[in-house]
């Protein structure tokens, strides 16, 4: 209005200096700890692109190529490898070097004849678990949501962002489905029930494998699951951290070295002495 005075200068300045949109950079000190980046190796870390896995629960392709497999010396070389279409994630070529690969994803490099499944070790760190071609044809997905679309099509949403239409009617939230990577169709179902073999994907016990004993319901709070591992150790975690990987003692995917059994520091030291790593 012509009679109204203009707002104070500092308010105008505030309007013009506010950033727009999401952050495009990530500093190394703020990067997830499980990426295992050296604190003094630089200022920046790769910022994962938006994708099927959360930023703090993924491993960008450039870290797989440069830090884990040592196929690239620099980020630029990792970018070139991706741009030359040498890297596939879940059967699809991914040319974005910051693409977020996550738990249960199958990473293939046909040129070097490598096939890996991204899993967690018993300490909760991402591990590239080498698998055979037969196992690379499928992956396990946790059911996070069930819904019926506006056109009355039943669908389910998995932990890696897939929407699967007309699923098995027995599939419920927290169950695990086996997905054929080539077709994207559901081929098998493992129920979330006492006696199921589970791996923990978040929390203090991330990466541990055990048998689901029972679930405590807490109305208005988090449901708590009790798990018992192969050595008889019992531990508890939230229901949302539990990922079913098989029934009984047989997992549907091969497990990485250690089989998800967490050792005490004394056990680790005794093994290191037996190997001759410690005097």
């Amino acid at each position: 209005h012509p009679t109204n005075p203009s707002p104070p200068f500092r308010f105008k300045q505030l309007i013009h200096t506010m950033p727009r949109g999401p952050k495009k950079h990530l500093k190394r000190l703020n990067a997830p700890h499980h990426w295992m980046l050296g604190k003094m190796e630089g200022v920046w870390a790769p910022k994962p692109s938006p994708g099927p896995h959360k930023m703090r629960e993924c491993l960008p392709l450039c870290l797989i190529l440069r830090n884990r497999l040592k196929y690239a010396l620099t980020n630029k070389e990792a970018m070139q490898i991706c741009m030359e279409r040498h890297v596939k994630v879940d059967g699809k070529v991914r040319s974005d070097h910051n693409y977020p690969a996550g738990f249960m994803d199958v990473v293939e490099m046909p040129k070097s004849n490598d096939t890996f499944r991204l899993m967690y070790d018993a300490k909760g760190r991402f591990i590239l678990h080498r698998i055979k071609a037969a196992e690379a044809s499928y992956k396990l997905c946790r059911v996070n949501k069930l819904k019926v679309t506006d056109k009355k099509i039943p669908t389910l949403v998995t932990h890696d962002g897939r929407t699967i239409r007309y699923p098995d009617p027995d599939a419920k939230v927290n169950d695990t489905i086996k997905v054929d990577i080539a077709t994207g169709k559901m081929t098998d179902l493992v129920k979330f029930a006492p006696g199921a073999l589970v791996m923990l994907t978040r929390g203090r016990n991330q990466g541990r494998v055990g048998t689901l004993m029972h679930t405590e319901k807490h109305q208005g709070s988090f449901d708590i699951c009790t798990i018992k591992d192969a050595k008889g150790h019992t531990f508890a975690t939230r229901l949302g951290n539990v990922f079913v990987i098989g029934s009984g003692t047989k997992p549907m995917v091969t497990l990485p070295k250690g089989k998800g059994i967490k050792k005490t520091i004394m056990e680790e030291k005794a093994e290191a002495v037996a190997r001759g790593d410690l005097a």
Side-chain angles (χ1 to χ4, degrees):
H1 197 273
T3 57
N4 284 354
S6 61
F9 173 72
R10 63 180 180 277
F11 180 67
K12 271 187 175 177
Q13 201 175 27
L14 182 70
I15 292 171
H16 291 300
T17 55
M18 280 164 47
R20 295 192 305 167
K23 291 184 178 177
K24 293 182 168 58
H25 294 77
L26 177 66
K27 288 210 172 176
R28 191 160 280 232
L29 289 180
N30 298 329
H33 186 254
H34 61 78
W35 288 1
M36 297 188 289
L37 299 177
K39 188 168 75 168
M40 307 299 285
E41 288 173 10
V43 175
W44 304 102
K47 168 89 169 170
S49 302
H53 297 278
K54 293 180 180 179
M55 187 190 101
R56 307 202 74 83
E57 295 172 12
C58 75
L59 192 63
L61 292 185
C62 57
L63 292 187
I64 292 175
L65 292 168
R66 184 187 66 185
N67 295 38
R68 302 298 171 95
L69 297 176
K70 306 285 194 285
Y71 285 168
L73 292 174
T74 61
N75 188 49
K76 178 78 173 175
E77 286 180 10
M79 186 195 297
Q80 286 170 327
I81 292 170
C82 290
M83 292 299 283
E84 286 171 9
R85 304 176 71 78
H86 291 315
V87 184
K88 288 181 177 181
V89 179
D90 287 345
K92 289 188 178 177
V93 171
R94 298 294 178 186
S95 57
D96 177 12
H97 64 292
N98 287 328
Y99 180 83
F103 182 61
M104 282 289 167
D105 284 359
V106 176
V107 180
E108 295 173 88
M109 280 163 246
K111 199 91 172 182
S112 59
N113 206 19
D114 284 327
T115 311
F116 303 100
R117 189 185 300 281
L118 270 176
M119 304 281 281
Y120 295 117
D121 67 5
K123 293 188 176 180
R125 301 170 300 201
F126 269 121
I127 192 165
L128 288 165
H129 175 53
R130 197 178 288 275
I131 56 175
K132 294 192 168 71
E135 199 189 324
S137 64
Y138 66 88
K139 68 182 292 192
L140 302 183
C141 297
R142 185 180 193 270
V143 179
N144 282 353
K145 193 192 292 184
L146 290 171
K147 61 180 182 179
V148 179
T149 64
D150 293 341
K151 295 190 176 179
K152 302 292 179 282
I153 297 171
T155 60
L156 62 78
V157 181
T158 63
H159 81 284
D160 60 348
R162 293 169 187 263
T163 301
I164 293 177
R165 291 152 53 101
Y166 303 108
D168 185 329
D170 289 340
K172 298 285 182 282
V173 173
N174 303 325
D175 292 349
T176 291
I177 61 171
K178 184 176 174 181
V179 174
D180 183 82
I181 285 175
T183 60
K185 296 275 170 49
M186 171 181 169
T187 58
D188 202 357
L189 171 68
V190 193
K191 297 295 290 178
F192 177 88
L197 190 67
V198 301
M199 181 182 255
L200 304 194
T201 55
R202 283 197 291 264
R204 186 81 174 78
N205 294 304
Q206 187 176 11
R208 293 180 75 172
V209 173
T211 304
L212 181 66
M213 304 301 287
H214 58 85
T215 306
E216 298 170 18
K217 301 277 187 186
H218 293 280
Q219 199 69 37
S221 184
F222 297 100
D223 293 347
I224 302 295
C225 294
T226 304
I227 318 268
K228 189 175 190 179
D229 70 10
K231 286 207 171 166
H233 301 136
T234 306
F235 48 95
T237 189
R238 289 180 181 177
L239 174 62
N241 301 346
V242 178
F243 192 114
V244 180
I245 56 169
S247 53
T249 56
K250 183 140 180 66
M252 294 174 74
V253 293
T254 56
L255 295 175
K257 185 178 158 187
K259 306 293 181 193
I261 306 296
K262 193 170 191 176
K263 299 185 179 104
T264 63
I265 52 174
M266 296 307 293
E267 288 172 335
E268 286 181 355
K269 182 183 176 184
E271 286 182 11
V273 169
R275 286 196 306 266
D277 294 346
L278 292 175

